[in-house]
């Protein structure tokens, strides 16, 4: 083999390694056998947790931390990134409004708010950013994005002219939306929303019914939230002239999808497609000999838009073979062979407890990739 | 690649698969990618548990079951095999006299006997066998092989002319060995003893000191057994004219090594060397493209004579690359790369309990080998 080029494009391994750390471990193992090869690191993500870190790492960008309003109204530390070109921000809504900020005792989708997500967007506007990649997974909220809009200057009133309390539970009282104070810079900003669900805002497949329970909604709460969001969509339709009730994706992140559609210039796309585009993966794959990808767990669900799926499709377009390496090889991975993933290896060396396996992730990834390289070399030399 | 030939030469995976079952799972996975290839199954072993099964399976031989005297004197069901050529028997001493027949409560190396092992040998003589492969691992005994010899016609008396009770604890009373009744067919039989230890019969490195404690010997028992075996060796030296006290391997299996030297025509060899020879592995490797091996656990100790080590050395002599696949990839496997193992893969797909992993062994082996084949094909096509 001529001087080989390996593109390393894994997702993060949750609770074990960032995507960049996976890249490093992969290279360390491969380099033992192919010391002269080119190694191109493309830390990946699929719009979910780790997307900011990966896109920052992939482009030598910078992470920023700031205090914002958490989902329960208390202050939390959140973060966003600005990619290496200085022009594109990356936000995960969960960083400000995620489910990790509520406990079994405090979770209450009637009151949780996306206000902090709006504050992160405002922080990007303050930096002159014109394009934002926004991952909306992992939310604790069911407020239709009203909190996000409020943080950016929108005002929500009841029939008596009082400001509505935050949270989806109050939206049934919404009488008037005032967008006169909405941050004018928003109209100049393109928000690329990483959204893998197509749920509408309301109804049986809506935000409240499908995602409410995992945020703590009882059946009674689900019914109340669903009718509140339907009312909210009606007010938006009447006063802002936008249809957000039935648009696919409107129900994502407790209706944050709908709020983004109502108050910002946004495009909803599959998270992996956004990351593939902005990581520059395709250019980096051109002429490569092998592409390595992976994620903490790989299974048949991977083909519904997770990182190895997206990487494999990009690699196939360039004619590059794809080797997936995963912490957990789940059920029916055979379904992935047809999706461009040529081969799949697990990294677990032995029966052990999950904590030890997560901790040993880098070593196990390194050893596995060394042995994959050994097999490649054996085959190529044969 | 021309029509490929894969030699599949794994050990058994303890508590999960026999070596033959490993071969079957390997082929099943590989065949999905290389349906036209030749698959040569060589179920292997290293002289330890599973050796009889593997050599029977490797040669289409037959297994025989019979009741014998267990280590505690009660009847146990034991087995031995006759290889496909009908001329070579394979016995594991543990089948008749193994540690699995005693419990925490009943283990007592003062009384446990190898009598049943002698009965297995006698059964082979009755079938006209002239060559026996005898694996001696996993013993519960410390009787210097006196029980084995007794089953074959030797008699052991104390100074008063009484027959000694069985077990190593009585050997200190040995006054006279009578071999006039020893089965005369023994002199025509070549016993190939699979023995990986070099311990002498007595002393600090002897059978009692090193292996006695794991069979239940207290420090006092160790001292008593050690002096008893020393006395036994002295009587053998004086009355049979054979030196068995210091010969390397005499201390194997509670001194069964010494007993075999005293009463039979035997050769002690590394177990893996015996299995390599009688499985016909080298002939089968000639002209093969890849050799797969493996064992339940692979680690740096593998290089001290375990199956993948022996297979790798044989394969290297034929210039065949070696791929090892294991249920557990242990510490410092890097040490094996220099021993002819080209690459090593684990088969565990995820963190799970050991029972489930053992049960899923065949499926995990199949999936892993399919993915190895996928990687090979990708590399070969590239």
């Amino acid at each position: 083999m001529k001087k080989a080029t390996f593109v390393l494009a894994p997702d993060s391994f949750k609770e074990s390694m960032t995507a960049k750390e996976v890249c490093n471990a992969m290279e360390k193992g491969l380099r033992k056998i192919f010391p002269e090869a080119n190694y191109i690191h493309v830390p990946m993500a699929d719009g979910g947790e780790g997307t900011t870190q990966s896109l920052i790492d992939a482009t030598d960008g910078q992470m920023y931390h700031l205090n914002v309003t958490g989902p329960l109204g208390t202050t939390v530390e959140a973060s966003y990134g600005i990619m290496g070109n200085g022009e594109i921000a990356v936000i995960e809504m969960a960083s400000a409004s995620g489910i990790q900020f509520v406990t079994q005792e405090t979770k209450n989708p009637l009151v949780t708010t996306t206000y902090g997500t709006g504050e992160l967007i405002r922080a990007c506007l303050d930096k002159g950013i014109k394009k934002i990649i926004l991952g909306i997974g992992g939310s604790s909220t069911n407020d239709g994005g009203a909190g996000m809009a409020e943080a950016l200057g929108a005002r929500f009133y009841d029939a008596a002219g009082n400001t509505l309390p935050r949270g989806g539970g109050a939206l049934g009282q919404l009488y008037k939306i005032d967008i006169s104070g909405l941050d004018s810079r928003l109209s100049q900003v393109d928000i690329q929303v990483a959204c893998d669900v197509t749920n509408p805002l309301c109804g049986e497949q809506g935000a409240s019914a499908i995602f409410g329970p995992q945020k703590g909604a009882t059946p009674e709460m689900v019914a109340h939230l669903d009718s509140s969001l339907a009312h909210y969509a009606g007010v938006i339709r009447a006063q802002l002239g936008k249809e957000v009730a039935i648009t696919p994706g409107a129900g994502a992140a407790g209706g944050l999808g709908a709020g983004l559609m109502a108050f910002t210039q946004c495009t909803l796309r599959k998270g992996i497609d956004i990351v593939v585009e902005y990581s520059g993966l395709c250019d980096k794959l051109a002429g490569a000999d092998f592409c390595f990808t992976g994620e903490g767990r790989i299974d048949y669900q991977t083909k519904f838009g997770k990182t190895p799926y997206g990487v494999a499709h990009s690699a196939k377009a360039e004619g590059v073979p794809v080797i997936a390496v995963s912490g957990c090889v789940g059920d029916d991975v055979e379904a992935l062979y047809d999706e461009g993933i040529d081969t799949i290896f697990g990294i677990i060396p032995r029966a052990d407890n999950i904590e030890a396996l997560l901790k040993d992730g880098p070593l196990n990834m390194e050893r596995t990739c060394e042995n994959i390289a050994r097999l490649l070399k054996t085959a190529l030399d044969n």
Side-chain angles (χ1 to χ4, degrees), chain A:
Chain A
M1 189 159 69
K2 66 180 200 320
K3 185 170 168 178
T5 295
F6 295 97
V7 169
L8 313 179
D11 204 328
S12 59
F13 280 36
K14 202 171 166 182
E15 298 179 49
S16 180
M17 296 176 273
T18 66
K20 182 176 178 56
E21 288 168 341
V22 178
C23 290
N24 289 341
M26 285 177 160
E27 175 174 343
K28 207 167 165 190
L30 295 167
R31 194 175 273 286
K32 287 184 183 172
I33 310 304
F34 298 112
E36 305 293 329
N38 296 318
Y39 295 93
I40 302 176
H41 292 202
V42 195
M44 291 291 293
D46 60 9
E49 188 182 347
T51 296
T52 306
Q53 188 70 55
S54 288
L55 281 172
I56 298 314
D57 286 341
T59 62
D60 283 325
Q62 194 170 344
M63 193 75 89
Y64 296 88
H65 301 271
L66 72 165
N67 289 332
V68 300
T69 303
L72 295 169
T74 55
T75 299
V76 300
E77 185 182 303
S79 58
Y80 65 97
I82 295 185
M83 290 174 59
N85 63 7
E87 296 178 355
I88 305 172
V90 190
I91 298 174
E92 292 172 36
M93 83 83 74
S95 169
S97 318
I99 194 83
Q100 78 278 15
F101 292 121
V102 301
T103 66
Q104 195 64 27
E105 287 71 38
T106 61
K107 65 184 179 180
N108 182 354
L110 296 175
V111 303
T112 45
T113 176
T114 53
Y115 194 92
T117 299
E119 290 177 289
L120 288 180
I121 294 173
R122 198 175 61 205
C124 294
L125 300 184
D126 291 345
K127 281 219 162 57
I129 291 295
K130 294 291 194 308
K131 187 185 288 265
I132 296 172
I133 294 169
L134 177 59
I136 62 175
S139 79
S140 64
T141 55
N142 208 97
D143 76 345
M148 176 272 302
E150 185 190 343
L152 289 161
R155 292 293 173 263
F156 299 88
Y157 300 105
D158 65 15
N162 298 315
T163 299
L164 283 191
R166 290 178 192 154
L171 289 174
Q173 306 303 315
L174 179 62
Y175 184 77
K176 178 164 177 52
I177 303 174
D178 176 5
I179 58 168
S180 62
L182 194 64
D183 197 311
S184 61
R185 297 170 297 183
L186 263 187
S187 63
Q188 305 300 316
V189 173
D190 170 23
I191 302 185
Q192 300 274 311
V193 182
C195 176
D196 290 353
V197 304
T198 55
N199 302 71
L201 184 63
C202 309
E204 285 181 9
Q205 295 299 314
S208 309
I210 300 297
F211 306 111
Q214 69 200 43
K215 299 169 187 177
T218 62
E220 293 71 28
M221 285 187 195
V222 166
H224 179 75
L225 287 166
D226 191 57
S227 68
S228 298
L229 287 181
H231 176 76
Y232 172 66
V235 177
I236 289 173
R237 189 184 303 115
Q239 298 181 15
L240 306 185
K242 293 193 179 177
E243 173 52 60
V244 300
I246 57 173
T247 314
L256 177 59
L260 289 162
M261 294 172 192
F263 299 98
T264 75
Q265 314 301 317
C266 72
T267 309
L268 270 62
R269 297 169 62 191
K270 284 223 168 215
I272 183 62
D273 293 341
I274 293 176
V275 177
V276 164
E277 177 180 344
Y278 290 98
S279 64
L281 176 65
C282 295
D283 285 349
K284 293 167 181 172
L285 281 167
D289 295 283
F290 290 97
C291 174
F292 283 68
T293 186
E295 60 182 332
R297 177 186 175 90
I298 195 164
D299 59 25
Y300 70 96
Q301 292 190 43
T302 298
K303 73 175 175 178
F304 302 125
K306 297 202 181 190
T307 291
Y309 167 88
V311 170
H313 272 236
S314 303
K316 284 300 120 174
E318 300 287 341
V320 181
V322 176
I323 298 165
V325 191
S326 180
C328 171
V329 179
D331 294 331
D332 300 328
V333 286
E334 300 74 19
L336 304 178
Y337 301 144
D338 292 334
E339 303 292 341
I341 296 179
D342 291 288
T343 183
I344 302 169
F345 292 96
I347 67 171
I348 297 181
R350 66 194 74 119
D352 206 341
N353 66 68
I354 189 75
E355 291 74 22
L357 292 170
L358 290 169
K359 177 173 162 292
D360 289 344
L363 274 178
N364 290 334
M365 176 57 73
E366 178 186 336
R367 189 200 63 257
T368 303
C369 285
E370 176 182 356
N371 279 287
I372 289 171
R374 291 181 152 274
L375 186 61
L376 281 177
K377 186 162 164 51
T378 299
L380 295 168
D381 290 351
N382 207 31

